[in-house]
């Protein structure tokens, strides 16, 4: 049912995953990976990934089930994607951390 995917009032695990993975795919060309350049445009994919992570957290259930375990794995995936996006965003500004000058 496509209307459920686009309705922000309903919980959707797929919507959260699409937001996070889409923001990672958008951040790669913005950062000019593998030659990471400083740009503040990476704030937008990071914010979208945070929204996707919040959407994934909304889907967690109180009682343990296999669905609950799958949602936990998706939350861990979202946190790794957020770490990658924050690395793309912050690494170029830490010149003391880089050996190339």
């Amino acid at each position: 049912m496509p209307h459920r995917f686009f309705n922000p009032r309903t919980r959707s695990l797929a919507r959260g995953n699409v937001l996070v993975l889409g923001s990672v795919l958008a951040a790669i060309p913005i950062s000019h990976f593998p030659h990471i350049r400083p740009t503040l445009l990476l704030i937008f994919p990071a914010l979208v990934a945070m929204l996707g992570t919040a959407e994934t957290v909304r889907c967690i259930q109180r009682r343990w089930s296999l669905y609950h375990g799958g949602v936990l794995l998706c939350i861990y995936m979202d946190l790794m994607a957020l770490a990658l996006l924050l690395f793309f965003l912050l690494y170029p500004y830490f010149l003391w951390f880089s050996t190339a000058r």
Side-chain angles (χ1 to χ4, degrees):
M1 294 179 13
H3 59 72
R4 213 173 151 181
F5 182 81
F6 294 111
N7 186 1
R9 291 184 181 189
T10 61
R11 298 175 185 165
S12 175
L13 187 60
R15 181 175 48 235
N17 288 335
V18 166
L19 286 173
V20 171
L21 294 176
S23 65
V24 169
L25 291 177
I28 290 172
I30 292 173
S31 68
H32 299 286
F33 183 80
H35 308 289
I36 301 175
R37 297 189 179 119
T39 178
L40 292 178
L41 288 176
L42 288 169
I43 291 174
F44 298 116
L47 290 175
V48 170
M50 287 179 196
L51 287 173
T53 303
E55 182 66 32
T56 305
V57 169
R58 279 180 54 192
C59 295
I60 203 156
Q61 297 173 347
R62 293 187 183 269
R63 297 193 57 125
W64 174 257
S65 66
L66 286 178
Y67 178 79
H68 180 89
V71 172
L72 283 176
L73 287 175
C74 288
I75 291 171
Y76 293 141
M77 182 266 310
D78 293 351
L79 292 176
M80 288 190 298
L82 274 171
L84 178 69
L85 291 173
L86 291 176
F87 175 78
F88 283 165
L89 178 65
L90 298 176
Y91 179 74
Y93 296 106
F94 291 120
L95 296 177
W96 58 269
F97 196 64
S98 171
T99 57
R101 292 181 192 230

